[in-house]
Amino acid sequence: MSSVVAAIKARAAEIGFVACGVTDLAPTAHGPDFDRWIARGFGGTMRYLHRQARKRKDPRKIAPEGRSIVIVLDNYYYDDDTHVAPKVARYARGRDYHLVTNDRLEQLAASLRTLGATYTRVFADAGPVPERELAQRAGLGWIGKNCMLIRPGVGSWFFIGSVLTDLELPPDLPFTTDHCGSCRRCLDACPTAAFVPDH
């Protein structure tokens, strides 16, 4: 099965994803933290977080057919034109990133089906998928103090996409090193002091 994973990762790179990893659908390690976060009102008006809580804490509940999840990072960084003041965030410029990343994920899902999958379902920053934790478990980076996934050499300039599949794939080793150390620049730079204690 390692040859299947190698083929999946090669195809992901060919499509243009900057990284690809595989993990299982075990419950997240942060379920109680998520419950406390919701209970304290930090979800604001995003009521879907309440509706999706069970699935976000236990990805096995997303789809009973799922056995593994392929996680990819889709880079959106590009240099700004220094002569024009930015008016919107980089990720929000151009065609809707949900559509762009979703199209690329569908290409990857089609490749999984040629490798034997009979079930695939893609998610591009939508749905009850705990993307950052799954990406960390798939070895793609660490979760920083600002709760963003950070990949060495890339930073956090990417969307996290996923393909849920019925293929039983061997999971990658998780990314276990926290490279933040004593740095807290992201926390101090927040103009609204929106961060509660780091992480």
Side-chain angles (χ1 to χ4, degrees):
M1 201 51 102
S2 59
S3 61
V4 172
V5 171
I8 292 168
K9 291 182 178 183
R11 179 61 179 141
E14 186 179 280
I15 292 169
F17 294 117
V18 295
C20 176
V22 175
T23 192
D24 59 28
L25 296 169
T28 74
H30 302 291
D33 299 323
F34 181 70
D35 288 338
R36 284 190 292 275
W37 187 85
I38 288 289
R40 292 177 70 183
F42 292 143
T45 59
M46 297 181 288
R47 300 301 302 169
Y48 64 88
L49 292 173
H50 298 263
R51 291 192 304 273
Q52 298 173 347
R54 288 177 59 247
K55 292 178 180 178
R56 284 182 179 273
K57 294 184 291 185
D58 188 352
R60 296 172 301 184
K61 297 184 185 311
I62 297 172
E65 303 91 338
R67 295 293 174 268
S68 306
I69 191 159
V70 178
I71 307 290
V72 295
L73 305 183
D74 198 5
N75 185 25
Y76 64 79
Y77 180 83
Y78 57 88
D79 287 329
D80 270 325
D81 180 341
T82 57
H83 303 292
V84 180
K87 300 208 184 287
V88 293
R90 279 184 180 90
Y91 75 84
R93 300 175 194 175
R95 187 169 174 243
D96 184 338
Y97 74 88
H98 296 91
L99 301 176
V100 173
T101 301
N102 199 73
D103 288 348
R104 292 150 66 96
L105 288 167
E106 288 292 358
Q107 293 176 52
L108 186 59
S111 297
L112 266 66
R113 291 191 292 274
T114 68
L115 294 168
T118 59
Y119 174 84
T120 57
R121 185 173 175 191
V122 304
F123 296 92
D125 193 26
V129 182
E131 292 108 340
R132 284 170 282 191
E133 182 174 347
L134 293 177
Q136 182 271 325
R137 281 176 21 192
L140 301 183
W142 84 95
I143 298 173
K145 291 179 180 178
N146 60 359
C147 296
M148 298 295 291
L149 184 80
I150 304 170
R151 181 168 177 80
V154 178
S156 59
W157 298 94
F158 47 74
F159 306 116
I160 304 173
S162 54
V163 183
L164 190 65
T165 178
D166 61 348
L167 289 175
E168 291 270 9
L169 301 171
D172 286 300
L173 293 174
F175 198 104
T176 57
T177 305
D178 182 344
H179 291 282
C180 289
S182 61
C183 178
R184 48 174 291 120
R185 289 171 60 192
C186 64
L187 307 182
D188 296 337
C190 180
T192 61
F195 293 108
V196 289
D198 61 22
H199 293 102

